[in-house]
Amino acid sequence: MSTEKVSEKVTKGRLLEVALTLFQTKGCHNTSMDDIAKACQIKKPSIYHHIESRSALLCGVVDLLSTQFSEKVLVFARDETQSIKIRIENVIEAVLQFFNRGHYSCLISQLASESSEKAPDLHKRLRGFFTQWVDALKYLLQDRLGNAASAYAQDYISQIQGALTLSVVAGDEAIFERAVNRLSNLLKI
């Protein structure tokens, strides 16, 4: 099959999915636009028909990741048909699944360390990702912790992000699983 025929089938969504997969497996810095084009079986200039720059690509990937996280993890926090205990258990399991039980470092954290005033659109999206996560946990913890719920949610997410990195570097998924399970320990579930 020729490259040109394949390129007609490549959409912006497909490019973002491929970029996300490559960023998660190779790292953001180690993934070039050439890598993305090759994985999509298109020529590099074809990428720019869908996405105007690497910065726009990163923003699109963060948006995609944020949507996936909301649909696969945060949805459980607001499921009023379940008890708080079940919602927390579901969130914990979903976090473990989403981050592949600690086998992938968090792309959001990698990008956050690189984001600055020079990339305000990316920074805004990253802030949005973490804000929605904090808000969901705060919602779950409000009855139990009151005003301390927000600070606990922030601390919990910080521990998870650090545990993701250490888990990958040490090759020990138990580090990540312990950090994630602290939420149920706090609430004695």
Side-chain angles (χ1 to χ4, degrees):
M1 187 183 291
S2 80
T3 302
E4 289 309 312
K5 288 185 180 183
V6 173
S7 69
E8 292 174 16
K9 296 178 185 178
V10 173
T11 63
K12 180 177 181 179
R14 177 71 181 136
L15 283 169
L16 294 174
E17 289 170 6
V18 168
L20 174 59
T21 299
L22 289 171
F23 289 162
Q24 287 175 319
T25 55
K26 293 178 64 170
C28 192
H29 284 307
N30 295 327
T31 302
S32 67
M33 296 300 259
D34 286 324
D35 294 331
I36 296 166
K38 184 177 179 183
C40 289
Q41 297 179 326
I42 61 174
K43 295 177 182 175
K44 182 178 170 181
S46 296
I47 291 174
Y48 297 103
H49 291 276
H50 301 284
I51 299 167
E52 63 270 7
S53 65
R54 185 169 177 87
S55 178
L57 176 74
L58 293 172
C59 287
V61 167
V62 171
D63 290 344
L64 175 62
L65 195 56
S66 188
T67 298
Q68 290 177 353
F69 192 73
S70 183
E71 292 172 352
K72 294 178 181 179
V73 178
L74 301 181
V75 66
F76 295 110
R78 299 200 187 272
D79 182 0
E80 298 288 339
T81 65
Q82 301 293 328
S83 69
I84 291 289
K85 176 183 177 186
I86 297 298
R87 286 190 265 172
I88 290 171
E89 289 172 351
N90 289 342
V91 166
I92 289 168
E93 183 55 33
V95 167
L96 287 167
Q97 292 297 324
F98 190 82
F99 293 112
N100 196 21
R101 297 213 172 294
H103 289 281
Y104 291 128
S105 63
C106 181
L107 178 59
I108 295 291
S109 293
Q110 292 175 36
L111 292 172
S113 68
E114 299 169 14
S115 132
S116 68
E117 296 80 34
K118 294 178 184 175
D121 289 342
L122 180 58
H123 189 78
K124 178 180 170 185
R125 284 171 168 83
L126 293 166
R127 183 177 297 164
F129 175 88
F130 284 112
T131 297
Q132 71 175 352
W133 194 0
V134 168
D135 288 348
L137 290 177
K138 181 178 154 185
Y139 180 77
L140 286 174
L141 300 171
Q142 191 68 44
D143 288 344
R144 176 87 178 215
L145 299 175
N147 292 337
S150 183
Y152 184 83
Q154 292 168 346
D155 292 348
Y156 178 71
I157 293 167
S158 302
Q159 291 171 9
I160 288 174
Q161 293 300 313
L164 269 170
T165 301
L166 185 57
S167 183
V168 170
V169 171
D172 183 359
E173 68 186 44
I175 296 166
F176 175 66
E177 291 187 18
R178 282 193 309 271
V180 171
N181 286 317
R182 281 197 186 91
L183 184 59
S184 62
N185 295 340
L186 169 78
L187 300 174
K188 308 292 188 254
I189 294 176

